[in-house]
Coordinates of all heavy atoms in Angstrom, one line a residue:
M1 N 0.8 -1.2 0.0 CA 0.0 0.0 0.0 C 0.9 1.2 0.0 O 1.8 1.4 0.8 CB -0.9 0.0 1.3 CG -1.9 1.1 1.3 SD -3.1 0.6 2.5 CE -3.2 2.1 3.4
S2 N 0.6 2.1 -0.9 CA 1.5 3.3 -1.0 C 0.7 4.5 -0.5 O -0.5 4.6 -0.7 CB 1.9 3.6 -2.5 OG 0.8 3.9 -3.2
E3 N 1.5 5.4 0.2 CA 0.8 6.5 0.7 C 1.4 7.8 -0.1 O 2.5 8.0 -0.3 CB 1.2 6.7 2.2 CG 0.7 8.0 2.8 CD 1.1 8.0 4.3 OE1 1.1 7.0 4.9 OE2 1.4 9.1 4.8
T4 N 0.4 8.5 -0.6 CA 0.7 9.7 -1.3 C 0.7 10.9 -0.5 O -0.3 11.1 0.3 CB -0.1 9.9 -2.6 OG1 -1.5 9.9 -2.1 CG2 0.0 8.8 -3.6
T5 N 1.8 11.7 -0.4 CA 1.8 12.9 0.4 C 1.9 14.1 -0.6 O 2.6 14.0 -1.5 CB 2.9 12.9 1.4 OG1 4.1 12.8 0.7 CG2 2.7 11.9 2.4
T6 N 1.3 15.1 -0.3 CA 1.4 16.3 -1.0 C 2.2 17.4 -0.3 O 1.8 17.8 0.8 CB 0.0 17.0 -1.4 OG1 -0.8 16.0 -1.9 CG2 0.1 18.1 -2.3
A7 N 3.4 17.7 -0.8 CA 4.3 18.6 -0.2 C 3.6 20.0 -0.2 O 3.1 20.4 -1.2 CB 5.6 18.7 -0.8
Q8 N 3.7 20.6 0.9 CA 3.1 22.0 1.0 C 4.3 23.0 1.1 O 5.3 22.7 1.6 CB 2.3 22.1 2.4 CG 1.1 21.3 2.4 CD 0.0 21.8 1.5 OE1 -0.4 23.0 1.7 NE2 -0.6 21.1 0.6
A9 N 4.1 24.1 0.5 CA 5.1 25.1 0.4 C 4.5 26.5 0.8 O 3.2 26.6 0.6 CB 5.8 25.2 -0.9
T10 N 5.2 27.4 1.3 CA 4.7 28.6 1.7 C 4.8 29.7 0.6 O 5.9 29.8 0.1 CB 5.4 29.1 3.0 OG1 5.3 28.1 4.0 CG2 4.8 30.4 3.5
C11 N 3.7 30.5 0.4 CA 3.8 31.5 -0.6 C 4.7 32.7 0.1 O 4.4 33.1 1.2 CB 2.5 32.1 -0.9 SG 2.5 33.5 -1.9
W12 N 5.7 33.2 -0.6 CA 6.5 34.2 -0.1 C 5.9 35.5 0.0 O 6.4 36.5 0.5 CB 7.8 34.3 -1.0 CG 8.8 33.2 -0.6 CD1 8.6 31.9 -0.6 CD2 10.2 33.4 -0.2 NE1 9.7 31.2 -0.3 CE2 10.7 32.1 -0.1 CE3 11.0 34.5 -0.1 CZ2 12.0 31.9 0.3 CZ3 12.3 34.3 0.2 CH2 12.8 33.0 0.4
C13 N 4.7 35.7 -0.6 CA 4.0 36.9 -0.5 C 2.9 37.0 0.6 O 3.0 37.8 1.5 CB 3.3 37.3 -1.9 SG 2.5 38.8 -2.1
C14 N 1.9 36.1 0.6 CA 0.9 36.1 1.5 C 1.2 35.2 2.8 O 0.5 35.4 3.8 CB -0.5 35.7 0.9 SG -0.5 34.0 0.4
G15 N 2.1 34.3 2.6 CA 2.5 33.4 3.8 C 1.6 32.2 4.0 O 1.8 31.4 4.9
N16 N 0.6 32.0 3.1 CA -0.3 30.8 3.2 C 0.4 29.6 2.6 O 1.4 29.7 1.8 CB -1.6 31.1 2.5 CG -2.4 32.2 3.1 OD1 -2.5 32.2 4.4 ND2 -3.1 33.0 2.4
E17 N -0.1 28.4 3.0 CA 0.5 27.2 2.6 C -0.3 26.7 1.3 O -1.5 26.8 1.1 CB 0.3 26.1 3.6 CG 1.1 26.4 4.9 CD 2.6 26.0 4.7 OE1 2.9 25.0 4.0 OE2 3.4 26.7 5.3
F18 N 0.6 26.2 0.3 CA 0.0 25.7 -1.0 C 0.7 24.4 -1.4 O 1.8 24.2 -1.0 CB 0.1 26.8 -2.1 CG -0.7 28.0 -1.8 CD1 -0.1 29.1 -1.1 CD2 -2.0 28.1 -2.3 CE1 -0.9 30.2 -0.9 CE2 -2.8 29.2 -2.1 CZ -2.2 30.4 -1.4
A19 N 0.0 23.7 -2.2 CA 0.6 22.5 -2.9 C 1.6 23.1 -3.8 O 1.5 24.2 -4.4 CB -0.4 21.7 -3.5
E20 N 2.7 22.4 -4.1 CA 3.8 22.8 -5.0 C 3.2 23.2 -6.4 O 3.6 24.2 -7.0 CB 4.9 21.8 -5.1 CG 6.0 22.2 -6.0 CD 6.7 23.5 -5.5 OE1 6.9 23.7 -4.3 OE2 7.1 24.3 -6.3
R21 N 2.2 22.5 -6.8 CA 1.6 22.7 -8.2 C 0.9 24.0 -8.2 O 0.5 24.6 -9.3 CB 0.6 21.5 -8.6 CG -0.6 21.5 -7.7 CD -1.6 20.5 -8.2 NE -2.9 20.6 -7.6 CZ -3.1 20.0 -6.5 NH1 -2.3 19.1 -6.0 NH2 -4.3 20.2 -5.9
D22 N 0.6 24.7 -7.0 CA -0.2 25.9 -7.0 C 0.7 27.1 -6.8 O 0.2 28.2 -6.4 CB -1.3 25.8 -5.9 CG -2.4 24.8 -6.2 OD1 -2.6 24.5 -7.5 OD2 -2.9 24.1 -5.4
L23 N 2.0 26.9 -6.9 CA 2.9 28.0 -6.8 C 3.7 28.3 -8.0 O 3.9 27.4 -8.9 CB 3.9 27.7 -5.7 CG 3.5 27.7 -4.2 CD1 4.6 27.2 -3.3 CD2 2.8 29.0 -3.8
V24 N 4.1 29.5 -8.2 CA 4.9 29.9 -9.4 C 6.3 30.3 -8.8 O 6.4 31.1 -7.8 CB 4.3 31.2 -10.1 CG1 5.2 31.6 -11.2 CG2 3.0 30.9 -10.6
R25 N 7.3 29.7 -9.3 CA 8.7 30.0 -8.9 C 9.4 31.0 -9.7 O 9.2 31.1 -10.9 CB 9.5 28.6 -9.0 CG 9.0 27.5 -8.0 CD 9.3 27.7 -6.7 NE 8.6 26.8 -5.8 CZ 8.8 26.8 -4.5 NH1 9.5 27.7 -3.9 NH2 8.2 25.9 -3.7
L26 N 10.3 31.8 -9.0 CA 11.1 32.8 -9.7 C 12.2 32.1 -10.5 O 12.7 31.1 -10.0 CB 11.7 33.8 -8.8 CG 10.7 34.6 -8.0 CD1 11.4 35.6 -7.1 CD2 9.7 35.3 -8.8
G27 N 12.5 32.7 -11.6 CA 13.6 32.0 -12.5 C 14.9 32.0 -11.8 O 15.5 30.8 -11.7
S28 N 15.5 33.0 -11.4 CA 16.9 33.0 -10.8 C 16.9 32.6 -9.4 O 18.0 32.3 -8.8 CB 17.5 34.4 -10.9 OG 17.7 34.7 -12.4
H29 N 15.7 32.6 -8.7 CA 15.7 32.3 -7.3 C 14.5 31.3 -7.1 O 13.4 31.6 -6.6 CB 15.4 33.5 -6.4 CG 16.6 34.4 -6.4 ND1 17.6 34.2 -5.6 CD2 16.8 35.5 -7.1 CE1 18.5 35.2 -5.7 NE2 18.1 36.0 -6.7
P30 N 14.7 30.0 -7.6 CA 13.6 29.1 -7.4 C 13.1 28.7 -6.0 O 12.1 28.1 -5.9 CB 14.2 27.7 -8.1 CG 15.7 28.0 -8.2 CD 15.9 29.5 -8.1
E31 N 13.9 29.2 -5.0 CA 13.5 28.9 -3.6 C 12.3 29.8 -3.3 O 11.6 29.6 -2.4 CB 14.6 29.2 -2.7 CG 15.1 30.6 -2.6 CD 16.0 31.1 -3.6 OE1 16.2 30.4 -4.6 OE2 16.6 32.2 -3.3
V32 N 12.1 30.9 -4.2 CA 10.9 31.8 -3.9 C 9.8 31.4 -4.8 O 9.9 31.3 -6.0 CB 11.4 33.2 -4.3 CG1 10.2 34.2 -4.1 CG2 12.5 33.7 -3.4
G33 N 8.7 31.1 -4.2 CA 7.4 30.8 -4.8 C 6.2 31.6 -4.4 O 6.2 32.0 -3.1
V34 N 5.4 32.0 -5.3 CA 4.2 32.8 -4.9 C 3.0 32.0 -5.5 O 3.0 31.4 -6.4 CB 4.3 34.3 -5.4 CG1 5.3 35.1 -4.7 CG2 4.4 34.3 -6.9
C35 N 1.9 32.3 -4.8 CA 0.6 31.5 -5.2 C 0.1 32.4 -6.4 O 0.5 33.4 -6.7 CB -0.4 31.5 -4.1 SG -1.1 33.1 -3.6
F36 N -0.9 31.7 -7.1 CA -1.4 32.3 -8.2 C -2.1 33.7 -8.0 O -2.0 34.6 -8.7 CB -2.5 31.4 -8.9 CG -1.9 30.1 -9.4 CD1 -2.7 29.0 -9.6 CD2 -0.6 29.9 -9.7 CE1 -2.2 27.8 -10.0 CE2 -0.1 28.8 -10.2 CZ -0.9 27.7 -10.3
Q37 N -2.8 33.8 -6.9 CA -3.5 35.0 -6.5 C -2.4 36.1 -6.2 O -2.6 37.2 -6.7 CB -4.3 34.8 -5.2 CG -5.1 36.0 -4.9 CD -6.1 35.8 -3.7 OE1 -6.2 34.7 -3.2 NE2 -6.9 36.8 -3.4
C38 N -1.3 35.8 -5.5 CA -0.4 36.8 -5.3 C 0.5 37.2 -6.6 O 0.8 38.3 -6.8 CB 0.6 36.3 -4.3 SG -0.1 36.4 -2.6
A39 N 0.6 36.2 -7.5 CA 1.2 36.4 -8.8 C 0.4 37.4 -9.6 O 1.0 38.3 -10.3 CB 1.4 35.1 -9.6
R40 N -1.0 37.3 -9.5 CA -1.8 38.3 -10.2 C -1.7 39.6 -9.5 O -1.7 40.7 -10.3 CB -3.3 37.8 -10.2 CG -3.5 36.8 -11.3 CD -5.1 36.5 -11.5 NE -5.6 35.8 -10.3 CZ -5.6 34.5 -10.3 NH1 -5.1 33.8 -11.2 NH2 -6.1 33.9 -9.2
F41 N -1.7 39.7 -8.2 CA -1.4 40.9 -7.5 C -0.2 41.6 -7.9 O -0.2 42.8 -8.1 CB -1.6 40.6 -6.0 CG -1.1 41.7 -5.1 CD1 -2.0 42.9 -4.9 CD2 0.2 41.8 -4.6 CE1 -1.5 44.0 -4.1 CE2 0.6 42.8 -3.8 CZ -0.2 43.9 -3.5
L42 N 0.9 40.9 -8.0 CA 2.2 41.4 -8.3 C 2.2 41.9 -9.8 O 2.7 43.0 -10.1 CB 3.3 40.4 -8.1 CG 3.6 40.0 -6.7 CD1 4.5 38.8 -6.6 CD2 4.1 41.2 -5.9
R43 N 1.5 41.2 -10.7 CA 1.4 41.6 -12.1 C 0.6 42.9 -12.1 O 1.0 43.9 -12.9 CB 0.6 40.6 -12.8 CG 0.3 41.0 -14.2 CD -0.4 39.8 -15.0 NE -0.7 40.2 -16.3 CZ -1.9 40.8 -16.7 NH1 -2.8 41.0 -15.8 NH2 -2.1 41.1 -17.9
R44 N -0.5 43.1 -11.3 CA -1.2 44.3 -11.3 C -0.4 45.5 -10.8 O -0.4 46.6 -11.3 CB -2.5 44.1 -10.4 CG -3.5 45.2 -10.5 CD -4.9 44.8 -10.0 NE -4.7 44.3 -8.6 CZ -5.1 43.0 -8.3 NH1 -5.6 42.2 -9.1 NH2 -5.0 42.6 -7.0
R45 N 0.4 45.2 -9.7 CA 1.3 46.3 -9.1 C 2.3 46.7 -10.1 O 2.6 47.9 -10.3 CB 1.9 45.8 -7.9 CG 0.9 45.5 -6.7 CD 0.4 46.7 -6.0 NE 1.5 47.7 -5.6 CZ 2.1 47.7 -4.3 NH1 1.7 46.9 -3.5 NH2 3.0 48.5 -4.1
A46 N 3.0 45.7 -10.9 CA 4.0 46.1 -11.8 C 3.4 46.9 -13.0 O 4.0 47.9 -13.4 CB 4.5 44.7 -12.3
A47 N 2.2 46.5 -13.4 CA 1.5 47.3 -14.5 C 1.2 48.7 -14.0 O 1.3 49.6 -14.8 CB 0.3 46.6 -15.0
E48 N 0.8 48.8 -12.8 CA 0.5 50.2 -12.3 C 1.7 51.0 -12.2 O 1.7 52.2 -12.6 CB -0.1 50.0 -10.8 CG -0.5 51.3 -10.2 CD -1.2 51.1 -8.9 OE1 -1.4 49.8 -8.5 OE2 -1.4 52.1 -8.1
R49 N 2.8 50.5 -11.7 CA 4.1 51.2 -11.7 C 4.6 51.6 -13.2 O 5.0 52.8 -13.4 CB 5.3 50.3 -11.1 CG 5.0 50.1 -9.6 CD 5.8 51.2 -8.8 NE 5.7 51.0 -7.4 CZ 6.4 50.2 -6.7 NH1 7.5 49.6 -7.2 NH2 6.2 50.0 -5.4
E50 N 4.4 50.6 -14.1 CA 4.8 50.9 -15.4 C 3.9 52.0 -16.0 O 4.5 52.9 -16.7 CB 4.6 49.6 -16.3 CG 5.4 49.6 -17.5 CD 5.4 48.2 -18.2 OE1 4.3 47.5 -18.0 OE2 6.4 47.8 -18.8
D51 N 2.7 52.0 -15.8 CA 1.8 53.1 -16.2 C 2.2 54.4 -15.7 O 2.0 55.4 -16.3 CB 0.3 52.7 -15.9 CG -0.2 51.7 -16.8 OD1 0.4 51.4 -17.8 OD2 -1.4 51.2 -16.6
Q52 N 2.6 54.4 -14.4 CA 3.0 55.7 -13.8 C 4.2 56.3 -14.4 O 4.4 57.5 -14.5 CB 3.3 55.5 -12.3 CG 2.0 55.2 -11.5 CD 2.3 54.8 -10.1 OE1 3.4 54.5 -9.7 NE2 1.3 54.7 -9.3
Q53 N 5.1 55.4 -15.0 CA 6.3 55.9 -15.6 C 6.1 56.3 -17.1 O 6.8 57.1 -17.6 CB 7.4 54.8 -15.6 CG 7.9 54.6 -14.1 CD 8.7 53.3 -14.0 OE1 9.1 52.7 -15.0 NE2 8.9 52.8 -12.8
R54 N 5.2 55.6 -17.7 CA 4.9 56.0 -19.2 C 3.4 56.3 -19.4 O 2.6 55.3 -19.5 CB 5.3 54.8 -20.1 CG 6.8 54.8 -20.2 CD 7.3 53.7 -21.1 NE 7.9 52.7 -20.3 CZ 7.7 51.4 -20.4 NH1 7.0 50.9 -21.4 NH2 8.3 50.5 -19.7
V55 N 3.0 57.5 -19.2 CA 1.6 57.9 -19.3 C 1.1 57.8 -20.7 O 1.8 58.4 -21.6 CB 1.4 59.2 -18.6 CG1 -0.1 59.7 -18.8 CG2 1.8 59.3 -17.2
S56 N 0.0 57.3 -21.0 CA -0.6 57.2 -22.3 C -2.1 57.1 -22.1 O -2.6 57.1 -21.0 CB -0.1 55.9 -23.1 OG -0.6 54.8 -22.4
A57 N -2.8 57.2 -23.2 CA -4.3 57.0 -23.1 C -4.7 55.6 -22.4 O -5.6 55.6 -21.6 CB -5.0 57.2 -24.5
A58 N -4.0 54.6 -22.9 CA -4.3 53.3 -22.3 C -4.0 53.3 -20.8 O -4.7 52.6 -20.0 CB -3.4 52.2 -23.1
A59 N -2.8 53.9 -20.4 CA -2.5 53.9 -19.1 C -3.5 54.7 -18.2 O -3.8 54.2 -17.1 CB -1.1 54.6 -18.9
R60 N -4.0 55.8 -18.8 CA -5.1 56.5 -18.1 C -6.3 55.6 -17.9 O -7.0 55.7 -16.9 CB -5.4 57.8 -18.8 CG -4.3 58.9 -18.4 CD -4.8 60.3 -18.9 NE -4.7 60.4 -20.4 CZ -3.6 60.8 -21.0 NH1 -2.5 61.2 -20.3 NH2 -3.6 60.9 -22.3
L61 N -6.7 54.9 -18.9 CA -7.8 54.0 -18.9 C -7.7 53.0 -17.8 O -8.5 52.7 -17.0 CB -8.1 53.3 -20.3 CG -9.3 52.3 -20.3 CD1 -10.6 53.0 -20.0 CD2 -9.4 51.7 -21.7
R62 N -6.5 52.3 -17.8 CA -6.1 51.3 -16.8 C -6.2 51.9 -15.4 O -6.7 51.2 -14.5 CB -4.8 50.6 -17.1 CG -4.8 49.7 -18.3 CD -3.5 48.9 -18.3 NE -2.4 49.7 -18.7 CZ -2.0 50.0 -19.9 NH1 -2.7 49.4 -20.9 NH2 -0.9 50.7 -20.2
A63 N -5.7 53.1 -15.3 CA -5.8 53.8 -14.0 C -7.2 54.0 -13.5 O -7.6 53.8 -12.3 CB -5.0 55.1 -14.0
A64 N -8.1 54.4 -14.4 CA -9.5 54.5 -14.2 C -10.1 53.3 -13.7 O -10.9 53.2 -12.7 CB -10.2 55.2 -15.3
V65 N -9.8 52.2 -14.3 CA -10.3 50.9 -14.0 C -9.8 50.5 -12.6 O -10.6 50.0 -11.8 CB -10.0 49.7 -15.0 CG1 -10.3 48.4 -14.6 CG2 -10.6 50.1 -16.3
R66 N -8.5 50.7 -12.3 CA -8.0 50.4 -11.0 C -8.7 51.2 -9.9 O -9.0 50.7 -8.9 CB -6.5 50.6 -11.1 CG -5.6 49.5 -11.6 CD -4.2 49.6 -11.3 NE -3.6 50.8 -12.0 CZ -3.0 50.6 -13.3 NH1 -3.0 49.5 -13.8 NH2 -2.5 51.6 -13.9
T67 N -8.9 52.5 -10.2 CA -9.5 53.3 -9.2 C -11.0 52.8 -8.9 O -11.4 52.8 -7.8 CB -9.5 54.8 -9.7 OG1 -8.2 55.2 -9.9 CG2 -10.2 55.8 -8.7
S68 N -11.7 52.5 -10.0 CA -13.0 52.0 -9.8 C -13.0 50.7 -9.0 O -13.9 50.5 -8.2 CB -13.6 51.8 -11.2 OG -13.7 53.0 -11.9
R69 N -12.0 49.8 -9.4 CA -12.0 48.6 -8.7 C -11.7 48.7 -7.2 O -12.4 48.1 -6.4 CB -10.9 47.7 -9.3 CG -10.6 46.4 -8.8 CD -9.4 45.7 -9.4 NE -9.2 44.4 -8.9 CZ -8.6 44.1 -7.8 NH1 -8.2 45.1 -7.0 NH2 -8.6 42.8 -7.3
A70 N -10.8 49.7 -6.9 CA -10.5 49.9 -5.5 C -11.7 50.5 -4.8 O -12.0 50.2 -3.6 CB -9.3 50.9 -5.4
W71 N -12.5 51.3 -5.5 CA -13.7 52.0 -4.9 C -14.7 50.9 -4.6 O -15.3 50.9 -3.5 CB -14.2 53.0 -5.8 CG -15.4 53.8 -5.3 CD1 -15.2 54.9 -4.5 CD2 -16.8 53.6 -5.5 NE1 -16.5 55.4 -4.1 CE2 -17.4 54.6 -4.7 CE3 -17.5 52.6 -6.1 CZ2 -18.8 54.7 -4.6 CZ3 -18.9 52.7 -6.0 CH2 -19.5 53.8 -5.3
V72 N -15.0 49.9 -5.5 CA -15.9 48.8 -5.3 C -15.5 48.0 -4.1 O -16.2 47.6 -3.3 CB -15.9 48.0 -6.7 CG1 -16.7 46.7 -6.3 CG2 -16.7 48.8 -7.8
I73 N -14.1 47.7 -4.0 CA -13.7 46.9 -2.9 C -13.8 47.6 -1.6 O -14.2 47.0 -0.6 CB -12.2 46.4 -3.2 CG1 -12.2 45.4 -4.4 CG2 -11.6 45.8 -2.0 CD1 -10.8 45.1 -4.9
T74 N -13.5 48.9 -1.6 CA -13.7 49.6 -0.3 C -15.1 49.6 0.1 O -15.3 49.6 1.4 CB -13.4 51.1 -0.6 OG1 -12.0 51.1 -1.1 CG2 -13.5 52.0 0.6
H75 N -16.1 49.5 -0.7 CA -17.5 49.5 -0.3 C -18.0 48.0 -0.1 O -19.2 47.8 0.2 CB -18.4 50.2 -1.3 CG -18.2 51.7 -1.3 ND1 -17.1 52.3 -1.9 CD2 -18.9 52.6 -0.7 CE1 -17.2 53.6 -1.7 NE2 -18.3 53.8 -1.0
G76 N -17.1 47.1 -0.3 CA -17.4 45.7 -0.1 C -18.3 45.0 -1.2 O -18.9 43.9 -1.0
W77 N -18.5 45.7 -2.3 CA -19.4 45.3 -3.3 C -18.7 44.0 -4.0 O -19.4 43.3 -4.7 CB -19.7 46.3 -4.3 CG -20.5 47.4 -3.8 CD1 -21.0 47.5 -2.5 CD2 -20.9 48.6 -4.4 NE1 -21.7 48.6 -2.3 CE2 -21.7 49.3 -3.4 CE3 -20.7 49.1 -5.6 CZ2 -22.2 50.6 -3.8 CZ3 -21.2 50.3 -6.0 CH2 -22.0 51.1 -5.1
H78 N -17.4 43.8 -3.9 CA -16.8 42.7 -4.6 C -17.3 41.3 -4.0 O -17.1 40.3 -4.6 CB -15.3 42.8 -4.5 CG -14.8 42.7 -3.0 ND1 -15.0 43.7 -2.1 CD2 -14.2 41.7 -2.3 CE1 -14.5 43.4 -1.0 NE2 -13.9 42.1 -1.1
R79 N -18.0 41.4 -2.8 CA -18.6 40.2 -2.3 C -19.9 39.8 -2.8 O -20.5 38.8 -2.5 CB -18.7 40.3 -0.7 CG -17.3 40.4 -0.1 CD -17.4 40.3 1.4 NE -16.2 40.6 2.0 CZ -15.8 41.8 2.5 NH1 -16.7 42.8 2.5 NH2 -14.7 42.1 3.0
L80 N -20.5 40.7 -3.6 CA -21.7 40.5 -4.2 C -21.6 39.4 -5.3 O -20.6 39.2 -5.9 CB -22.3 41.7 -4.8 CG -22.7 42.8 -3.8 CD1 -23.1 44.1 -4.6 CD2 -23.7 42.4 -2.8
P81 N -22.7 38.6 -5.5 CA -22.6 37.4 -6.4 C -22.2 37.7 -7.8 O -21.4 37.0 -8.5 CB -24.0 36.8 -6.4 CG -24.7 37.4 -5.2 CD -24.0 38.7 -4.8
L82 N -22.6 38.9 -8.3 CA -22.2 39.2 -9.7 C -21.0 40.1 -9.8 O -20.2 39.9 -10.8 CB -23.5 40.0 -10.4 CG -23.3 40.3 -11.9 CD1 -23.2 39.0 -12.6 CD2 -24.5 41.1 -12.4
V83 N -20.8 41.0 -8.9 CA -19.7 41.9 -9.0 C -18.3 41.2 -8.9 O -17.3 41.5 -9.5 CB -19.9 43.1 -8.0 CG1 -18.7 44.0 -8.1 CG2 -21.2 43.8 -8.3
G84 N -18.2 40.3 -7.9 CA -16.9 39.6 -7.6 C -16.4 38.9 -8.8 O -15.2 39.1 -9.3
P85 N -17.2 38.1 -9.5 CA -16.7 37.4 -10.7 C -16.3 38.3 -11.8 O -15.4 38.1 -12.6 CB -17.9 36.5 -11.1 CG -18.6 36.3 -9.8 CD -18.5 37.5 -9.0
I86 N -17.0 39.5 -12.0 CA -16.7 40.5 -13.0 C -15.3 41.1 -12.7 O -14.5 41.3 -13.6 CB -17.8 41.5 -13.1 CG1 -19.1 41.0 -13.7 CG2 -17.3 42.7 -13.9 CD1 -20.3 41.9 -13.7
L87 N -15.1 41.5 -11.4 CA -13.8 42.0 -11.0 C -12.6 41.0 -11.3 O -11.6 41.5 -11.8 CB -13.7 42.4 -9.5 CG -14.5 43.7 -9.2 CD1 -14.3 44.0 -7.7 CD2 -13.9 44.8 -10.0
R88 N -12.8 39.7 -11.0 CA -11.8 38.8 -11.2 C -11.6 38.7 -12.7 O -10.4 38.5 -13.2 CB -12.2 37.4 -10.6 CG -12.0 37.4 -9.0 CD -12.1 36.1 -8.5 NE -13.5 35.6 -8.5 CZ -14.4 36.0 -7.6 NH1 -14.1 36.7 -6.5 NH2 -15.7 35.5 -7.6
R89 N -12.6 38.7 -13.5 CA -12.5 38.6 -14.9 C -11.7 39.8 -15.4 O -10.8 39.7 -16.4 CB -13.8 38.5 -15.6 CG -13.8 38.2 -17.1 CD -15.2 38.1 -17.6 NE -15.2 37.8 -19.0 CZ -15.1 36.6 -19.6 NH1 -15.1 35.6 -18.8 NH2 -15.1 36.4 -20.9
I90 N -12.0 41.1 -15.0 CA -11.3 42.2 -15.3 C -9.8 42.1 -15.0 O -8.9 42.4 -15.7 CB -11.9 43.5 -14.7 CG1 -13.2 43.8 -15.3 CG2 -10.9 44.7 -14.8 CD1 -14.0 44.9 -14.6
D91 N -9.5 41.5 -13.8 CA -8.1 41.3 -13.4 C -7.4 40.4 -14.3 O -6.2 40.7 -14.6 CB -8.1 40.6 -11.9 CG -8.1 41.6 -10.8 OD1 -8.0 42.8 -11.1 OD2 -8.1 41.2 -9.7
R92 N -8.0 39.4 -14.8 CA -7.3 38.5 -15.7 C -7.0 39.1 -17.1 O -6.1 38.7 -17.7 CB -8.2 37.2 -15.9 CG -8.1 36.2 -14.7 CD -8.7 34.9 -15.0 NE -10.1 34.9 -15.3 CZ -11.0 34.8 -14.4 NH1 -10.7 34.6 -13.2 NH2 -12.3 34.8 -14.8
H93 N -7.9 40.0 -17.5 CA -7.8 40.5 -18.9 C -7.3 41.9 -19.0 O -7.0 42.3 -20.1 CB -9.1 40.4 -19.5 CG -9.6 38.9 -19.7 ND1 -9.0 38.0 -20.4 CD2 -10.6 38.2 -19.0 CE1 -9.7 36.8 -20.3 NE2 -10.5 37.0 -19.4
L94 N -7.1 42.6 -17.9 CA -6.6 44.0 -18.0 C -5.2 43.9 -18.3 O -4.3 43.3 -17.7 CB -6.8 44.7 -16.6 CG -6.6 46.1 -16.6 CD1 -7.6 46.9 -17.4 CD2 -6.6 46.7 -15.2
P95 N -4.8 44.6 -19.4 CA -3.4 44.6 -19.8 C -2.4 45.3 -18.8 O -2.9 46.1 -18.1 CB -3.4 45.3 -21.2 CG -4.6 46.1 -21.2 CD -5.6 45.5 -20.3
Ligands
ZN101 ZN1 0.2 34.2 -1.9

């Protein structure tokens, strides 16, 4: 009888435990892994910084979307059945 164990690793961003398959490792520092949710968060932060450095019409549009998103979350509307999935969809597709 074989026992299968799933190794757990800690996300270096949020500190939660995840299965190895649910982490993304850094190229030059494979000891560092972040979960998918934190990877999306870091992507969003990087895009925000990039937009601040190179202002364009698209950057202003993304900033407006980010501001709206933050406003919705501040009011707790992201927990509503329809709004939450829409915000997650925007997160996945916002350049
Ligand atoms: Zn995380």
